[in-house]
Amino acid sequence: HVQLVESGGGSVQAGGSLKLSCVVSPTSYSSRTMAWSRQAPGKEREGVASISDDGITHYADSVKDRFTVSEDNAKNTLYLQMNDLKPEDSAMYYCAAGPARVGGHPCTVAANNLKIDHWGQGTQVTVS
């Protein structure tokens, strides 16, 4: 049973930074794409960043050059470093995991073809 547990959300002023973490268990869960998604009130959930099993990262245009997704395989932890935060970044942020490829095509935020099998419980980010 795959579990994703996020932490690191909070309130910050515009221009500030936050770093989200997501611990993935069991540690044997591999060959997957990990991603961060977010959902603001009244809006659809959107993919923010993804990292494939080969380490390649992709970002939504709205966060490119401000957010960085990374993972520490030794700690089985996914991170999202968020810099220069804006009020429009306020949302519930979710850690997500799914297959690395579908039909031979890599699943990424850029391709907008993430197939999510597992979600975390979410962590709130508020930017004022």
Side-chain angles (χ1 to χ4, degrees):
H1 177 63
V2 176
Q3 285 192 316
L4 309 175
V5 180
E6 303 102 330
S7 62
S11 297
V12 65
Q13 291 188 335
S17 299
L18 282 174
K19 186 173 185 177
L20 306 183
S21 300
C22 172
V23 177
V24 183
S25 61
T27 57
S28 59
Y29 185 53
S30 60
S31 299
R32 72 291 186 267
T33 287
M34 298 296 301
W36 290 96
S37 294
R38 67 186 181 186
Q39 188 167 21
K43 294 188 177 181
E44 292 188 357
R45 191 172 296 191
E46 61 170 347
V48 172
S50 62
I51 182 166
S52 304
D53 56 354
D54 53 7
I56 296 176
T57 59
H58 294 89
Y59 300 91
D61 288 342
S62 58
V63 307
K64 204 170 291 184
D65 298 326
R66 299 188 298 122
F67 290 12
T68 302
V69 61
S70 62
E71 58 184 347
D72 183 335
N73 290 325
K75 296 181 179 180
N76 231 42
T77 301
L78 179 75
Y79 300 102
L80 184 68
Q81 176 67 48
M82 305 184 293
N83 298 329
D84 190 23
L85 282 161
K86 304 175 180 181
E88 51 264 41
D89 294 318
S90 297
M92 186 71 79
Y93 282 71
Y94 298 90
C95 177
R101 291 162 186 80
V102 174
H105 299 287
C107 296
T108 72
V109 160
N112 195 27
N113 65 346
L114 294 175
K115 183 183 180 299
I116 303 301
D117 292 331
H118 308 284
W119 293 97
Q121 82 285 355
T123 185
Q124 179 68 41
V125 171
T126 302
V127 185
S128 59

